[in-house]
Amino acid sequence: MPNNSSRLGLQLLAAVVVLVAAGFGVVYYLRPVAQVVLVKRQPAPNAKPGSVVVLAERETDLKSEYGGRILRTALRPGSTFKAGEPLVWLDTRELELNIAKTESDIEAQQKRIAVGSPYDGQIANAQDDADAKESLFKMGSLAESDLKAAQRGVKQLEQQRNLQQIEDQQRLDGMKNSLSSLKLQLSRMVLTAPFDGAATAVYAGQDDIIPSNAPIAHLITSSRLVVAKVSEEDFANIRIGQHASVRFLTYGDPPSNGTVTQILPSADPDTQRYMVYLKVDIPPEKLVPGITGEVSITVGVHDNALTVPRRAVSGHSLYVVNDGRVELRHVELGYMSLNEVEVLSGVQEGEAVIADQLDQFQPGDRVRVSVEKE
């Protein structure tokens, strides 16, 4: 049976072991926590980055060819409409009075022409006089010069009548043209929507007097364009039909799937970036003109590749946690996408790499790891 001194020694030894274990535990739990991801194998897309912006497919200022007072308007900022829908009614009362007056003037002018020319009687009298003088000339009782003067008088009166008839017809034609112009103006005193869309700004309202061709409101179409802008070095391999991953800053993650639908053949002269149109799988009401984001267009894929998140890469290096200690690995990178990057050498499948707050760690640091959930 152990004596008292032996029992005391065992108790002291046990206490030392507990204290040492506790010390190791405290030291361990005082280590910083590294958020890590595991290197995994999966398809690695070769994706070209770019920026995106949402635009209205078409926008325009609503204008009137004619000035006048706005009698009524259906436009408010944000109001929507369909193509051909009446939007603004201009006051037509003065115009209708002008139309009525012009129609009355036309009727009077037509009656005047129908009555005939006042020159008709003068011509008849002059012709009778010329005929009588011709008889006297044939009998030798009148000089030839007197006969010719009488005949010239008939022709002069006929010319004056013809000129008057031309002027009367021109006046009538001018009135008819004025009437047509007034009726055309009347038909355009109601301004209609040029397309399905909405008003983003309204510059004039009811009872305002507007000059001709002054903007009344700014209109945009309901249809949208998602335009990607890609640098020259990334543009060459982009083709219609390729997959795109689009993240709008307004909505954040997850990104939306898209497809390249059109490629413009020339660069923007201001930015020297090429523009690509995308169809994006996102509810239309979320495509608000002016929102921006980023895009990644897939131009190729490596199957069964080692991949890590792009945010884990620092230059051409990764911070790998091996047996609780941080190692700086220089790696060779391959294809890149919006979120992932292919690693050709430097790590193996299943190794843990730090994916968050990289600037908080140095090679040789001892850390605890927390594996991110996928």
Side-chain angles (χ1 to χ4, degrees), residues 191-299:
L191 308 182
T192 59
F195 42 66
D196 293 354
T200 60
V202 177
Y203 310 122
Q206 184 173 333
D207 292 327
D208 286 344
I209 297 175
I210 59 169
S212 61
N213 294 314
I216 299 170
H218 189 73
L219 312 180
I220 63 172
T221 56
S222 301
S223 52
R224 302 287 183 258
L225 296 174
V226 180
V227 182
K229 298 180 180 181
V230 183
S231 63
E232 183 178 358
E233 59 269 23
D234 294 328
F235 176 73
N237 294 321
I238 295 177
R239 301 287 182 270
I240 292 175
Q242 289 174 337
H243 175 267
S245 180
V246 182
R247 179 187 289 115
F248 293 106
L249 301 181
T250 301
Y251 306 120
D253 287 326
S256 301
N257 292 320
T259 306
V260 176
T261 59
Q262 186 179 358
I263 302 170
L264 299 189
S266 59
D268 185 317
D270 295 327
T271 64
Q272 294 303 310
R273 304 185 78 193
Y274 287 84
M275 289 186 287
V276 177
Y277 289 174
L278 305 173
K279 179 182 178 181
V280 182
D281 298 333
I282 189 172
E285 62 271 15
K286 288 191 172 184
L287 293 177
V288 180
I291 65 171
T292 60
E294 55 187 359
V295 64
S296 183
I297 301 174
T298 301
V299 299

Side-chain angles (χ1 to χ4, degrees), residues 71-193:
L71 191 65
R72 185 159 58 95
T73 178
L75 290 174
R76 301 290 184 275
S79 59
T80 60
F81 45 77
K82 295 292 184 180
E85 182 179 337
L87 300 178
V88 176
W89 293 259
L90 298 178
D91 191 348
T92 61
R93 288 173 292 184
E94 183 177 352
L95 183 59
E96 289 169 350
L97 289 174
N98 288 335
I99 289 174
K101 180 180 181 304
T102 303
E103 288 175 336
S104 177
D105 291 342
I106 289 174
E107 184 179 359
Q109 182 68 8
Q110 288 172 331
K111 289 179 179 179
R112 178 182 175 184
I113 292 174
V115 167
S117 172
Y119 286 104
D120 290 342
Q122 296 179 37
I123 292 172
N125 293 333
Q127 186 63 54
D128 291 341
D129 182 62
D131 291 342
K133 288 183 177 180
E134 185 176 4
S135 298
L136 292 173
F137 171 73
K138 289 179 179 179
M139 290 186 296
S141 300
L142 185 71
E144 182 179 5
S145 59
D146 292 336
L147 173 62
K148 289 184 177 179
Q151 291 173 338
R152 285 196 298 270
V154 173
K155 289 183 179 180
Q156 287 174 353
L157 289 172
E158 288 176 341
Q159 289 174 346
Q160 290 174 352
R161 181 193 60 186
N162 293 340
L163 288 173
Q164 183 191 50
Q165 289 174 339
I166 292 172
E167 290 173 356
D168 289 344
Q169 188 61 46
Q170 285 180 332
R171 189 175 295 110
L172 178 61
D173 292 342
M175 291 176 182
K176 289 181 177 179
N177 288 336
S178 296
L179 181 61
S180 297
S181 178
L182 291 171
K183 288 183 175 180
L184 177 63
Q185 181 178 348
L186 181 64
S187 70
R188 295 180 176 177
M189 296 299 272
V190 177
L191 308 182
T192 59

Side-chain angles (χ1 to χ4, degrees), residues 295-331:
V295 64
S296 183
I297 301 174
T298 301
V299 299
V301 177
H302 284 164
D303 294 324
N304 198 33
L306 292 176
T307 66
V308 296
R310 285 189 67 164
R311 55 193 167 85
V313 179
S314 176
H316 283 76
S317 302
L318 294 172
Y319 287 104
V320 179
V321 179
N322 186 13
D323 195 24
R325 190 181 293 273
V326 176
E327 296 179 2
L328 181 64
R329 300 273 187 89
H330 296 288
V331 294

Side-chain angles (χ1 to χ4, degrees), residues 1-13:
M1 191 170 176
N3 56 30
N4 290 336
S5 60
S6 297
R7 285 198 300 272
L8 182 58
L10 291 172
Q11 290 173 350
L12 289 173
L13 180 60

